[in-house]
Amino acid sequence: KTALALALCAGSVGCGAAPLRPQPASREEDLVALLPAGCEAVFDLDLAGLRAAPLGPRLFGELPAATRQRLGLFAEEPPAGLEALALGASGLGTPALEPTLVVRGPLDVGAVRTRYQAQDARARLFHYHGLELLEPPPPAPAAEALGVLGARVAVLGGRSAVRQVIDNLQGDGLGAR
């Protein structure tokens, strides 16, 4: 029931389906295309539209607490300050569930880094294809990484998923579309 409500708000749900809106002007505009290929579930949420909807706060409250907490890395009081979210998930129905969040909005990159490092003091700055990553140093199993893709787009997910998103941004990978 919650997933259906979110899907109706999002405007599109699927994995590999044709886009329901015009093609974006840049890779950073199509957040779903940035998600790693092979996602078993994909949600494309217009957070700006969700905030404006009468049921928006209630629907946002239906997101899992862990997802809302992760969004708190990107904005002090999400969904305020965020425009869009693409959420991809792999490993559904298993203990190895791996969500990947790609967000767009005016990001305070310094504050995002600080909030991430407050959650994991082991986090260190790395670079991948010229973009900044924060993650615990290896070998930290099942560690989440934070990738800053620009002043308006960032990704949070497993180490390999974050790198796949960066590959997709640069046109070197296969996205969820």
Side-chain angles (χ1 to χ4, degrees):
K1 188 161 81 170
T2 300
L4 179 59
L6 289 172
L8 292 172
C9 267
S12 69
V13 174
C15 198
L20 297 177
R21 61 188 105 144
Q23 289 298 323
S26 73
R27 286 189 178 104
E28 288 183 4
E29 291 296 313
D30 188 358
L31 300 184
V32 170
L34 294 177
L35 289 170
C39 289
E40 296 162 0
V42 173
F43 291 92
D44 184 11
L45 299 174
D46 173 1
L47 295 176
L50 185 62
R51 277 193 309 276
L55 292 176
R58 182 173 174 203
L59 290 172
F60 184 76
E62 291 294 324
L63 286 173
T67 300
R68 290 193 315 271
Q69 178 185 6
R70 285 182 178 98
L71 287 174
L73 287 172
F74 304 107
E76 285 187 37
E77 293 187 34
L82 298 175
E83 298 166 2
L85 162 69
L87 171 62
S90 300
L92 294 178
T94 72
L97 177 67
E98 185 176 324
T100 303
L101 285 79
V102 182
V103 300
R104 183 178 59 244
L107 301 174
D108 178 345
V109 175
V112 171
R113 279 190 208 118
T114 299
R115 287 191 284 266
Y116 180 82
Q117 289 176 312
Q119 285 189 351
D120 192 340
R122 303 170 302 159
R124 299 290 177 261
L125 182 64
F126 296 91
H127 287 87
Y128 182 74
H129 291 299
L131 296 174
E132 291 185 359
L133 293 177
L134 277 171
E135 62 185 19
E144 279 193 320
L146 170 73
V148 178
L149 309 181
R152 299 182 45 77
V153 180
V155 57
L156 180 70
R159 283 185 160 138
S160 66
V162 168
R163 284 166 174 75
Q164 287 176 42
V165 168
I166 292 171
D167 289 343
N168 293 342
L169 175 70
Q170 297 191 356
D172 296 335
L174 297 174
R177 285 218 193 269

